[in-house]
Amino acid sequence: MPKRLAEGVWLLDIGLVPPFATNGYLVDDGTVTLVDPGLPWNRPSLGAELSEIGYEVGDVDRVFLTHYDIDHTGGLRALDGEFDGPVYIGADDLALGRGESEPKLLHHKGLFHRAARLIYPLPDHMDVRGVEDGDEIGRFTAYHTPGHNPGHTVFVHDSGAAFLGDLTWEDDGRLTPPFWLDSYDMRALTESIRDLSQRAPPFEVAAMGHGTPLISGGRQALLECAARL
């Protein structure tokens, strides 16, 4: 069931069972933004979750992808035929998902992505745009946070909600980094957590890809996570 996290911010409970239970989010600040539409085969479906809060797929104006992984980008297929807006993703992950960059063949996640994009590449028929650190899109600011993926990007809304993707997960009320097998570079990931904790504006809502979002004290929780690393 979807859950309201703040004014105009909703958690969409899409995905299967852990570790495939993925969080998607909807932000309506006058422009309707969908963040991370999940797997290609979400249960409940993306459409059903949107309907629960009074929206349809056709109401979505734009999509943000925190990074290229099937459990975050595969759900783009659910938008086909009803959505014609722009899709934003970190520039390095745009190249990764389109096959324009070659991850190391002998790297555990690089090998996975080489195989995954043969089945679920970023769609050519959609207007997918690369973003860089500091780009402003409406009331959001993009922060490049590499480590989990080379182009991983956090989107922070000026109302005080940060969409963290897989920069951190939630575990027992605390933020924690993803485990090494699911990431490209744990040292870079650690540095990205520390960096974002220092330069992001204050935010209350910490909306991550996996786990229970924090509806208050989000930046403090990120600072505490950084201090533990």
Side-chain angles (χ1 to χ4, degrees), residues 56-74:
E56 299 177 353
V57 170
D59 295 325
V60 176
D61 295 309
R62 63 190 175 202
V63 175
F64 289 164
L65 304 174
T66 56
H67 61 292
Y68 173 71
D69 270 336
I70 294 175
D71 59 337
H72 293 257
T73 63

Side-chain angles (χ1 to χ4, degrees), residues 15 26 35 47 58 66 68 75 84 92 95 103 112 116 127 153 164 208 218 222:
L26 186 86
V35 182
T66 56
Y68 173 71
D84 61 0
D92 289 340
F112 169 76
D127 177 16
T153 300
L164 301 174
M208 69 293 296
L222 187 64

Side-chain angles (χ1 to χ4, degrees), residues 161-181:
F163 299 90
L164 301 174
D166 283 359
L167 176 70
T168 62
W169 294 347
E170 180 272 338
D171 182 30
D172 197 25
R174 302 198 309 177
L175 300 184
T176 183
F179 62 94
W180 72 270
L181 189 61

Side-chain angles (χ1 to χ4, degrees), residues 70-84:
I70 294 175
D71 59 337
H72 293 257
T73 63
L76 286 174
R77 66 186 300 178
L79 308 180
D80 272 348
E82 299 181 67
F83 167 76
D84 61 0

Side-chain angles (χ1 to χ4, degrees), residues 127-197:
D127 177 16
V128 185
R129 306 176 185 180
V131 298
E132 303 284 355
D133 187 71
D135 282 356
E136 295 182 0
I137 307 159
R139 294 173 58 186
F140 292 85
T141 300
Y143 293 86
H144 183 213
T145 50
H148 180 73
N149 267 21
H152 190 284
T153 300
V154 166
F155 296 94
V156 180
H157 193 269
D158 66 11
S159 66
F163 299 90
L164 301 174
D166 283 359
L167 176 70
T168 62
W169 294 347
E170 180 272 338
D171 182 30
D172 197 25
R174 302 198 309 177
L175 300 184
T176 183
F179 62 94
W180 72 270
L181 189 61
D182 195 36
S183 298
Y184 272 85
D185 185 333
M186 291 303 292
R187 180 174 295 179
L189 176 61
T190 296
E191 288 305 309
S192 288
I193 292 172
R194 289 173 175 158
D195 178 62
L196 186 69
S197 72

